[in-house]
Amino acid sequence: MVWDVLNMIGTIAFAASGAVVALEVKYDIIGAYVLGLITAFGGGAIRNLFTGIPITELWQQTSLFIAALITISFVILLSNKAVDLLTKWNIFDSVGLSAFAVQGAMYAQSIDLPLFAVMFSAAITGAGGGIIRDVLAQKKPIVLRQDVYLLWALFAGFIIGMDLLSESYQFYILFAIILLLRGISQRYGWSLPTRTIQQPQKN
């Protein structure tokens, strides 16, 4: 039950996120649907490929596809002011990351994968769709350049991979904690260390 609830939450959040980005970069309506669906299902599809799950299972999620399409349609109908607010708050990315990180880790744990694979599953499910979205929108993926983003997904995978949770409510609490940490890190501009290479000046 927890897995299904988080799957629906993550799908709706990332479908909205993809549609908002599509409108932000002035893609047409078809572009909004494509970007929304890819953001919602891209991370799970990559996870399935790396964990040996047949890709055809993606097409068995009819209810999720319907929910994603309805969400994208709703975003398209929003006013420009509302879209600007959603872009500024970035709430959908945070919710999608939190839900899919926990859901992806639960999925890997359910098929008895080792700790590293559980953490990878959490990270790629939580961030994979967003990376594909940003690439298609011709933006540098936010997960690879700023914010403590991927770290929170790995943290969720570690907690679940270590078998520290057993009751349903504990997974919901972890979801809330990841969402809170993501919000705090975004609010205060936390970021991981970076190193840049200075290009030599031409004489």
Side-chain angles (χ1 to χ4, degrees):
M1 182 64 181
V2 178
W3 193 88
D4 291 329
V5 171
L6 293 177
N7 204 11
M8 181 61 74
I9 292 173
T11 298
I12 291 173
F14 270 152
S17 173
V20 167
V21 170
L23 297 179
E24 181 186 5
V25 298
K26 296 180 171 56
Y27 281 3
D28 61 19
I29 292 178
I30 296 299
Y33 280 104
V34 170
L35 218 58
L37 290 173
I38 285 177
T39 308
F41 297 99
I46 298 173
R47 175 202 64 206
N48 289 356
L49 287 174
F50 276 94
T51 55
I53 306 300
I55 193 64
T56 53
E57 287 206 4
L58 176 69
W59 307 111
Q60 310 303 318
Q61 307 177 89
T62 304
S63 60
L64 294 179
F65 274 104
I66 293 174
L69 290 171
I70 292 173
T71 301
I72 296 166
S73 299
F74 176 76
V75 171
I76 291 173
L77 295 174
L78 291 176
S79 65
N80 289 341
K81 184 177 181 181
V83 172
D84 288 340
L85 286 174
L86 293 175
T87 302
K88 180 179 179 180
W89 292 342
N90 210 20
I91 185 65
F92 293 127
D93 251 8
S94 299
V95 173
L97 167 74
S98 306
F100 273 159
V102 175
Q103 183 255 13
M106 292 176 66
Y107 191 88
Q109 187 192 45
S110 70
I111 55 177
D112 298 321
L113 293 179
L115 175 61
F116 179 78
V118 174
M119 294 175 65
F120 173 83
S121 181
I124 201 63
T125 310
I131 292 174
I132 300 173
R133 175 204 64 204
D134 289 346
V135 170
L136 291 179
Q138 300 179 356
K139 299 171 62 177
K140 292 181 179 179
I142 189 173
V143 64
L144 302 179
R145 63 184 174 87
Q146 68 183 60
D147 288 350
V148 184
Y149 191 101
L150 202 60
L151 181 65
W152 302 133
L154 292 170
F155 173 71
F158 176 79
I159 295 296
I160 293 173
M162 291 293 291
D163 290 322
L164 300 178
L165 310 179
S166 57
E167 301 296 330
S168 296
Y169 75 89
Q170 293 175 329
F171 291 98
Y172 287 122
I173 291 175
L174 179 60
F175 162 69
I177 290 173
I178 299 301
L179 181 58
L180 179 63
L181 290 172
R182 165 62 179 156
I184 292 174
S185 63
Q186 184 180 19
R187 171 65 178 80
Y188 292 102
W190 295 354
S191 61
L192 296 175
T194 60
R195 179 175 179 267
T196 58
I197 298 176
Q198 298 291 334
Q199 295 293 332
Q201 295 182 352
K202 295 181 180 180
N203 295 324

